[in-house]
Amino acid sequence: MEDTTELAPAVRSILSAARDRAAEGRTDRVDVDPRDLRAAFDRAEADGRVPLIAEVKPTSPTTDGAREDDPVALAEGMVAGGAAALSVLTEPEHFGGSVAVLERVREAVDVPVLRKDFVVAESQLDAVESDVVLLIARFVGDDLPDLLAAARERGFQVLVEVHDREELTRALDAGATTIGVNNRDLAELVVDLGTFESVAPHVPDEVTLIAESGIGSPADVRRMRAAGADALLVGSAIMDGDVEANTRALTRAEADDGDHRDTTETPT
């Protein structure tokens, strides 16, 4: 179990709730036939779109208010805007998510769906079928290799999230083939796009690399892509306003001249 003393209070609360929910995990094991995430990224590239995972996120500890729209309608708008894949929050207490919403979204779209939650125990993997599951290196600590293997045994593709080179090394040693670099420091909740730029050069070419957090404009998209991002995961910048238009502005960032969305926010 990971030491939580250096985490921000909001993050410690999220992790504590995740551990409580782990004790309530299902007993029946899921068996997933996933939609291929890497193939979805490749299709986006071939179509002239930036590969983007758009996140259905009703709320979060780092944003104000909540989005009350039908999650399925939001997801369909994101796909219409060119999203290669979707991320759906299933954490209920801090993000307003649920496994029921993920099930509805996955049934309604034909792109891969990532389950965005804070998995700390194998039992949590059986909560719902998704195409991709998230494992956060800092949260799972030494359990990463076993959880990675358990997820793959069920058919999941796995996105392993890291924040620094030490966590990257642990992820690679565990056998991760899809890695996300979170620009948000979980200790201070400060966002710095330079985080991705410092970690990315040390990621092997054969690993699918995703930039996460703080991407709020087409300029940010181009910056992360120039630093080596195969794809991007964007939440708040898409959820704030017209999700289809916001998604399209980011997925077209390399095809269109100029920024179509000027923002100073620091989304997750």
Side-chain angles (χ1 to χ4, degrees):
M1 185 174 292
E2 191 74 359
D3 178 20
T4 64
T5 56
E6 295 183 356
L7 298 176
V11 180
R12 288 201 302 271
S13 177
I14 291 169
L15 186 54
S16 175
R19 289 171 177 164
D20 289 343
R21 283 187 294 126
E24 304 170 358
R26 285 170 36 169
T27 56
D28 52 324
R29 175 168 155 158
V30 301
D31 182 19
V32 181
D33 181 16
R35 302 162 186 168
D36 192 317
L37 183 65
R38 183 70 223 201
F41 292 163
D42 290 343
R43 285 193 296 271
E45 293 269 16
D47 192 38
R49 291 176 283 126
V50 174
L52 180 73
I53 304 173
E55 189 159 87
V56 180
K57 180 171 64 172
T59 187
S60 85
T62 58
T63 58
D64 295 324
R67 186 92 185 231
E68 302 294 342
D69 308 56
D70 177 18
V72 171
L74 292 172
E76 290 173 337
M78 294 169 181
V79 173
L86 298 176
S87 170
V88 178
L89 265 295
T90 58
E91 200 281 342
E93 295 183 33
H94 301 80
F95 291 87
S98 73
V99 295
V101 166
L102 186 147
E103 288 175 333
R104 289 180 57 217
V105 167
R106 189 167 182 253
E107 183 177 346
V109 301
D110 59 2
V111 301
V113 176
L114 162 70
R115 178 188 173 200
K116 182 78 171 288
D117 208 323
F118 304 89
V119 172
V120 294
E122 182 175 347
S123 61
Q124 289 174 284
L125 295 171
D126 297 316
V128 64
E129 291 184 24
S130 63
D131 304 291
V132 192
V133 67
L134 173 72
L135 296 177
I136 301 175
R138 186 164 189 174
F139 281 9
V140 302
D142 294 338
D143 293 331
L144 179 58
D146 289 341
L147 284 173
L148 184 61
R152 286 173 172 165
E153 286 171 2
R154 289 162 168 79
F156 291 110
Q157 298 160 98
V158 184
L159 169 60
V160 178
E161 179 180 295
V162 307
H163 180 69
D164 55 30
R165 287 187 61 186
E166 186 275 331
E167 292 178 0
L168 172 64
T169 298
R170 287 201 288 116
L172 293 173
D173 288 347
T177 57
T178 303
I179 289 178
V181 178
N182 191 346
N183 288 310
R184 188 182 298 280
D185 182 355
L186 296 179
E188 302 291 340
L189 293 182
V190 174
V191 172
D192 179 5
L193 296 184
T195 301
F196 181 87
E197 292 167 327
S198 68
V199 175
H202 306 283
V203 178
D205 290 342
E206 64 271 18
V207 170
T208 299
L209 181 59
I210 300 171
E212 305 174 16
S213 296
I215 302 157
S217 70
D220 293 338
V221 170
R222 292 191 288 270
R223 178 177 171 182
M224 294 293 91
R225 291 278 281 172
D230 296 308
L232 312 167
L233 193 156
V234 182
S236 299
I238 289 176
M239 291 290 290
D240 182 17
D242 184 329
V243 297
E244 182 174 344
N246 291 343
T247 303
R248 183 173 291 109
L250 299 183
T251 60
R252 300 292 299 176
E254 293 177 334
D256 298 339
D257 293 329
D259 286 1
H260 293 261
R261 189 173 191 279
D262 182 18
T263 179
T264 56
E265 66 190 353
T266 52
T268 299

